[in-house]
PDB file of all heavy atoms in Angstrom:
ATOM      1  N   ALA A 428      36.748   1.824 -55.337  1.00 98.00           N
ATOM      2  CA  ALA A 428      35.303   1.695 -55.709  1.00 98.00           C
ATOM      3  C   ALA A 428      34.506   2.757 -54.918  1.00 98.00           C
ATOM      4  O   ALA A 428      33.679   3.471 -55.564  1.00 98.00           O
ATOM      5  CB  ALA A 428      34.790   0.288 -55.353  1.00 98.00           C
ATOM      6  N   ILE A 429      34.708   2.840 -53.640  1.00 98.00           N
ATOM      7  CA  ILE A 429      33.898   3.762 -52.794  1.00 98.00           C
ATOM      8  C   ILE A 429      34.207   5.224 -53.158  1.00 98.00           C
ATOM      9  O   ILE A 429      33.271   6.053 -53.280  1.00 98.00           O
ATOM     10  CB  ILE A 429      34.100   3.484 -51.312  1.00 98.00           C
ATOM     11  CG1 ILE A 429      33.471   2.138 -50.971  1.00 98.00           C
ATOM     12  CG2 ILE A 429      33.524   4.566 -50.451  1.00 98.00           C
ATOM     13  CD1 ILE A 429      33.840   1.557 -49.620  1.00 98.00           C
ATOM     14  N   SER A 430      35.454   5.507 -53.404  1.00 98.00           N
ATOM     15  CA  SER A 430      35.745   6.961 -53.710  1.00 98.00           C
ATOM     16  C   SER A 430      35.221   7.369 -55.065  1.00 98.00           C
ATOM     17  O   SER A 430      34.771   8.492 -55.229  1.00 98.00           O
ATOM     18  CB  SER A 430      37.269   7.242 -53.518  1.00 98.00           C
ATOM     19  OG  SER A 430      38.042   6.584 -54.539  1.00 98.00           O
ATOM     20  N   VAL A 431      35.278   6.502 -56.076  1.00 98.00           N
ATOM     21  CA  VAL A 431      34.703   6.876 -57.363  1.00 98.00           C
ATOM     22  C   VAL A 431      33.209   7.071 -57.308  1.00 98.00           C
ATOM     23  O   VAL A 431      32.653   7.988 -57.853  1.00 98.00           O
ATOM     24  CB  VAL A 431      35.085   5.834 -58.437  1.00 98.00           C
ATOM     25  CG1 VAL A 431      34.406   6.117 -59.772  1.00 98.00           C
ATOM     26  CG2 VAL A 431      36.615   5.791 -58.710  1.00 98.00           C
ATOM     27  N   VAL A 432      32.541   6.195 -56.556  1.00 98.00           N
ATOM     28  CA  VAL A 432      31.081   6.314 -56.432  1.00 98.00           C
ATOM     29  C   VAL A 432      30.747   7.634 -55.717  1.00 98.00           C
ATOM     30  O   VAL A 432      29.857   8.337 -56.113  1.00 98.00           O
ATOM     31  CB  VAL A 432      30.484   5.086 -55.720  1.00 98.00           C
ATOM     32  CG1 VAL A 432      29.035   5.345 -55.296  1.00 98.00           C
ATOM     33  CG2 VAL A 432      30.574   3.870 -56.574  1.00 98.00           C
ATOM     34  N   LYS A 433      31.475   7.937 -54.662  1.00 96.00           N
ATOM     35  CA  LYS A 433      31.262   9.211 -53.947  1.00 96.00           C
ATOM     36  C   LYS A 433      31.378  10.422 -54.836  1.00 96.00           C
ATOM     37  O   LYS A 433      30.616  11.341 -54.791  1.00 96.00           O
ATOM     38  CB  LYS A 433      32.214   9.357 -52.748  1.00 96.00           C
ATOM     39  CG  LYS A 433      31.757   8.627 -51.516  1.00 96.00           C
ATOM     40  CD  LYS A 433      32.684   8.960 -50.328  1.00 96.00           C
ATOM     41  CE  LYS A 433      32.280   8.132 -49.134  1.00 96.00           C
ATOM     42  NZ  LYS A 433      33.419   8.038 -48.197  1.00 96.00           N
ATOM     43  N   GLU A 434      32.435  10.453 -55.716  1.00 95.00           N
ATOM     44  CA  GLU A 434      32.671  11.508 -56.680  1.00 95.00           C
ATOM     45  C   GLU A 434      31.423  11.683 -57.537  1.00 95.00           C
ATOM     46  O   GLU A 434      31.023  12.765 -57.885  1.00 95.00           O
ATOM     47  CB  GLU A 434      33.765  11.038 -57.635  1.00 95.00           C
ATOM     48  CG  GLU A 434      35.065  11.726 -57.557  1.00 95.00           C
ATOM     49  CD  GLU A 434      36.079  10.895 -58.421  1.00 95.00           C
ATOM     50  OE1 GLU A 434      35.745  10.713 -59.619  1.00 95.00           O
ATOM     51  OE2 GLU A 434      37.116  10.562 -57.914  1.00 95.00           O
ATOM     52  N   MET A 435      30.845  10.523 -57.959  1.00 92.00           N
ATOM     53  CA  MET A 435      29.720  10.584 -58.879  1.00 92.00           C
ATOM     54  C   MET A 435      28.474  11.188 -58.299  1.00 92.00           C
ATOM     55  O   MET A 435      27.712  11.770 -58.946  1.00 92.00           O
ATOM     56  CB  MET A 435      29.461   9.168 -59.374  1.00 92.00           C
ATOM     57  CG  MET A 435      28.830   9.003 -60.692  1.00 92.00           C
ATOM     58  SD  MET A 435      29.734   9.770 -62.076  1.00 92.00           S
ATOM     59  CE  MET A 435      31.181   8.716 -62.088  1.00 92.00           C
ATOM     60  N   PHE A 436      28.342  11.042 -56.983  1.00 91.00           N
ATOM     61  CA  PHE A 436      27.174  11.565 -56.268  1.00 91.00           C
ATOM     62  C   PHE A 436      27.098  13.121 -56.348  1.00 91.00           C
ATOM     63  O   PHE A 436      26.040  13.670 -56.244  1.00 91.00           O
ATOM     64  CB  PHE A 436      27.137  11.225 -54.786  1.00 91.00           C
ATOM     65  CG  PHE A 436      26.814   9.743 -54.542  1.00 91.00           C
ATOM     66  CD1 PHE A 436      27.425   9.060 -53.549  1.00 91.00           C
ATOM     67  CD2 PHE A 436      25.846   9.101 -55.329  1.00 91.00           C
ATOM     68  CE1 PHE A 436      27.142   7.690 -53.289  1.00 91.00           C
ATOM     69  CE2 PHE A 436      25.549   7.758 -55.107  1.00 91.00           C
ATOM     70  CZ  PHE A 436      26.194   7.087 -54.125  1.00 91.00           C
ATOM     71  N   VAL A 437      28.225  13.749 -56.576  1.00 82.00           N
ATOM     72  CA  VAL A 437      28.239  15.191 -56.682  1.00 82.00           C
ATOM     73  C   VAL A 437      27.359  15.685 -57.837  1.00 82.00           C
ATOM     74  O   VAL A 437      26.669  16.661 -57.780  1.00 82.00           O
ATOM     75  CB  VAL A 437      29.683  15.667 -56.865  1.00 82.00           C
ATOM     76  CG1 VAL A 437      29.780  17.200 -57.077  1.00 82.00           C
ATOM     77  CG2 VAL A 437      30.561  15.290 -55.693  1.00 82.00           C
ATOM     78  N   LYS A 438      27.361  14.885 -58.982  1.00 86.00           N
ATOM     79  CA  LYS A 438      26.530  15.276 -60.050  1.00 86.00           C
ATOM     80  C   LYS A 438      25.270  14.409 -60.247  1.00 86.00           C
ATOM     81  O   LYS A 438      24.367  14.748 -61.012  1.00 86.00           O
ATOM     82  CB  LYS A 438      27.295  15.346 -61.337  1.00 86.00           C
ATOM     83  CG  LYS A 438      27.912  14.038 -61.780  1.00 86.00           C
ATOM     84  CD  LYS A 438      28.587  14.239 -63.193  1.00 86.00           C
ATOM     85  CE  LYS A 438      29.096  12.912 -63.653  1.00 86.00           C
ATOM     86  NZ  LYS A 438      29.776  13.093 -64.935  1.00 86.00           N
ATOM     87  N   ALA A 439      25.194  13.238 -59.623  1.00 87.00           N
ATOM     88  CA  ALA A 439      24.086  12.350 -59.773  1.00 87.00           C
ATOM     89  C   ALA A 439      23.474  12.055 -58.401  1.00 87.00           C
ATOM     90  O   ALA A 439      23.743  11.056 -57.757  1.00 87.00           O
ATOM     91  CB  ALA A 439      24.567  11.094 -60.428  1.00 87.00           C
ATOM     92  N   HIS A 440      22.581  12.972 -57.968  1.00 85.00           N
ATOM     93  CA  HIS A 440      22.059  12.874 -56.591  1.00 85.00           C
ATOM     94  C   HIS A 440      21.124  11.734 -56.328  1.00 85.00           C
ATOM     95  O   HIS A 440      21.004  11.292 -55.224  1.00 85.00           O
ATOM     96  CB  HIS A 440      21.369  14.236 -56.244  1.00 85.00           C
ATOM     97  CG  HIS A 440      22.232  15.401 -56.480  1.00 85.00           C
ATOM     98  ND1 HIS A 440      23.134  15.840 -55.563  1.00 85.00           N
ATOM     99  CD2 HIS A 440      22.335  16.300 -57.542  1.00 85.00           C
ATOM    100  CE1 HIS A 440      23.769  16.874 -56.109  1.00 85.00           C
ATOM    101  NE2 HIS A 440      23.282  17.187 -57.238  1.00 85.00           N
ATOM    102  N   ASP A 441      20.476  11.225 -57.395  1.00 91.00           N
ATOM    103  CA  ASP A 441      19.495  10.154 -57.234  1.00 91.00           C
ATOM    104  C   ASP A 441      20.048   8.777 -57.379  1.00 91.00           C
ATOM    105  O   ASP A 441      19.302   7.811 -57.295  1.00 91.00           O
ATOM    106  CB  ASP A 441      18.337  10.328 -58.211  1.00 91.00           C
ATOM    107  CG  ASP A 441      17.644  11.647 -57.913  1.00 91.00           C
ATOM    108  OD1 ASP A 441      17.618  12.122 -56.718  1.00 91.00           O
ATOM    109  OD2 ASP A 441      17.009  12.215 -58.875  1.00 91.00           O
ATOM    110  N   LEU A 442      21.319   8.686 -57.689  1.00 95.00           N
ATOM    111  CA  LEU A 442      21.961   7.402 -57.943  1.00 95.00           C
ATOM    112  C   LEU A 442      21.878   6.505 -56.659  1.00 95.00           C
ATOM    113  O   LEU A 442      22.153   6.986 -55.594  1.00 95.00           O
ATOM    114  CB  LEU A 442      23.387   7.651 -58.333  1.00 95.00           C
ATOM    115  CG  LEU A 442      24.243   6.573 -58.957  1.00 95.00           C
ATOM    116  CD1 LEU A 442      23.577   6.126 -60.302  1.00 95.00           C
ATOM    117  CD2 LEU A 442      25.642   7.103 -59.203  1.00 95.00           C
ATOM    118  N   GLN A 443      21.509   5.238 -56.902  1.00 98.00           N
ATOM    119  CA  GLN A 443      21.572   4.285 -55.772  1.00 98.00           C
ATOM    120  C   GLN A 443      22.537   3.136 -56.168  1.00 98.00           C
ATOM    121  O   GLN A 443      22.244   2.361 -57.049  1.00 98.00           O
ATOM    122  CB  GLN A 443      20.174   3.604 -55.568  1.00 98.00           C
ATOM    123  CG  GLN A 443      19.229   4.550 -54.808  1.00 98.00           C
ATOM    124  CD  GLN A 443      17.927   3.810 -54.554  1.00 98.00           C
ATOM    125  OE1 GLN A 443      17.903   2.692 -54.188  1.00 98.00           O
ATOM    126  NE2 GLN A 443      16.815   4.498 -54.812  1.00 98.00           N
ATOM    127  N   VAL A 444      23.633   3.075 -55.451  1.00 98.00           N
ATOM    128  CA  VAL A 444      24.638   2.138 -55.756  1.00 98.00           C
ATOM    129  C   VAL A 444      24.742   1.046 -54.661  1.00 98.00           C
ATOM    130  O   VAL A 444      24.864   1.393 -53.465  1.00 98.00           O
ATOM    131  CB  VAL A 444      26.043   2.764 -55.910  1.00 98.00           C
ATOM    132  CG1 VAL A 444      27.129   1.764 -56.107  1.00 98.00           C
ATOM    133  CG2 VAL A 444      26.037   3.784 -57.036  1.00 98.00           C
ATOM    134  N   THR A 445      24.636  -0.221 -55.096  1.00 98.00           N
ATOM    135  CA  THR A 445      24.761  -1.358 -54.120  1.00 98.00           C
ATOM    136  C   THR A 445      26.002  -2.092 -54.428  1.00 98.00           C
ATOM    137  O   THR A 445      26.202  -2.558 -55.567  1.00 98.00           O
ATOM    138  CB  THR A 445      23.496  -2.247 -54.292  1.00 98.00           C
ATOM    139  OG1 THR A 445      22.305  -1.450 -54.110  1.00 98.00           O
ATOM    140  CG2 THR A 445      23.574  -3.355 -53.227  1.00 98.00           C
ATOM    141  N   PHE A 446      26.844  -2.199 -53.440  1.00 98.00           N
ATOM    142  CA  PHE A 446      28.037  -3.093 -53.564  1.00 98.00           C
ATOM    143  C   PHE A 446      27.634  -4.474 -53.101  1.00 98.00           C
ATOM    144  O   PHE A 446      27.184  -4.670 -51.978  1.00 98.00           O
ATOM    145  CB  PHE A 446      29.163  -2.539 -52.667  1.00 98.00           C
ATOM    146  CG  PHE A 446      29.742  -1.251 -53.174  1.00 98.00           C
ATOM    147  CD1 PHE A 446      29.520  -0.100 -52.421  1.00 98.00           C
ATOM    148  CD2 PHE A 446      30.489  -1.140 -54.319  1.00 98.00           C
ATOM    149  CE1 PHE A 446      30.026   1.132 -52.794  1.00 98.00           C
ATOM    150  CE2 PHE A 446      30.976   0.112 -54.764  1.00 98.00           C
ATOM    151  CZ  PHE A 446      30.732   1.249 -53.995  1.00 98.00           C
TER     152      PHE A 446
END
Side-chain angles (χ1 to χ4, degrees):
I429 291 168
S430 69
V431 173
V432 168
K433 276 186 184 160
E434 250 171 53
M435 205 60 64
F436 287 143
V437 176
K438 63 173 182 181
H440 306 279
D441 297 333
L442 195 61
Q443 280 183 46
V444 175
T445 306
F446 294 110

